[in-house]
Amino acid sequence: MENTLMEALGMEVVSVEKDRVVMTMPVDHRTRQPAQYLHGGASTALAETAASIGAVANIDSTRETIFGIEINANHIKSKAAGTVTAKATPIHIGRKTMVWQINITNENDQLICVSRCTLGVVEKQK
């Protein structure tokens, strides 16, 4: 998406379904920390983006919008280059909140980061 964090970090949407979102992100100069490994903030941004896209697939976007309430991330393994893949699945889909689990893996399907994101469903202001 143009003029977004997704564009700045090179995130790409692979697939979107109501119960699963898959996205990729490069590990490069845009997403590394000073020691040249994947930045935890970049992983967390990918996780929240995947969860938010999934949440939007579960609402009436003409009447409602999504905002992040809370996110946590456990960084399991480091990565210096290549691509990571986020797979987001819902744990809870409610009328006012949603909770999504996001696993981020490397090319060998090894876990890089596990995250949980809580999102608020808010009625759009008229």
Side-chain angles (χ1 to χ4, degrees):
M1 293 188 134
E2 200 171 314
N3 298 317
T4 66
L5 185 63
M6 286 177 61
E7 179 185 41
L9 297 182
M11 295 178 195
E12 293 188 14
V13 176
V14 175
S15 64
V16 177
E17 299 169 37
K18 285 187 167 194
D19 62 350
R20 187 168 193 254
V21 173
V22 178
M23 294 183 67
T24 60
M25 181 178 71
V27 180
D28 63 15
H29 66 281
R30 298 169 290 183
T31 59
R32 288 190 198 110
Q33 38 97 314
Q36 300 304 302
Y37 291 97
L38 178 62
H39 195 294
S43 294
T44 306
L46 176 62
E48 185 165 347
T49 302
S52 295
I53 288 171
V56 168
N58 283 278
I59 64 168
D60 176 354
S61 61
T62 63
R63 297 182 320 107
E64 300 167 312
T65 192
I66 298 295
F67 289 99
I69 293 174
E70 190 272 342
I71 188 163
N72 68 46
N74 294 99
H75 307 290
I76 310 297
K77 188 173 179 70
S78 63
K79 184 154 178 60
T83 302
V84 290
T85 300
K87 293 175 186 156
T89 55
I91 296 170
H92 166 74
I93 302 219
R95 290 179 296 132
K96 296 294 179 192
T97 62
M98 295 188 200
V99 180
W100 287 71
Q101 167 90 21
I102 308 95
N103 289 343
I104 299 175
T105 57
N106 64 16
E107 296 89 344
N108 298 319
D109 210 31
Q110 295 172 312
L111 193 60
I112 300 294
C113 176
V114 61
S115 180
R116 188 176 60 228
C117 183
T118 304
L119 300 156
V121 180
V122 179
E123 193 170 328
K124 287 185 175 178
Q125 300 297 314
K126 296 180 184 193

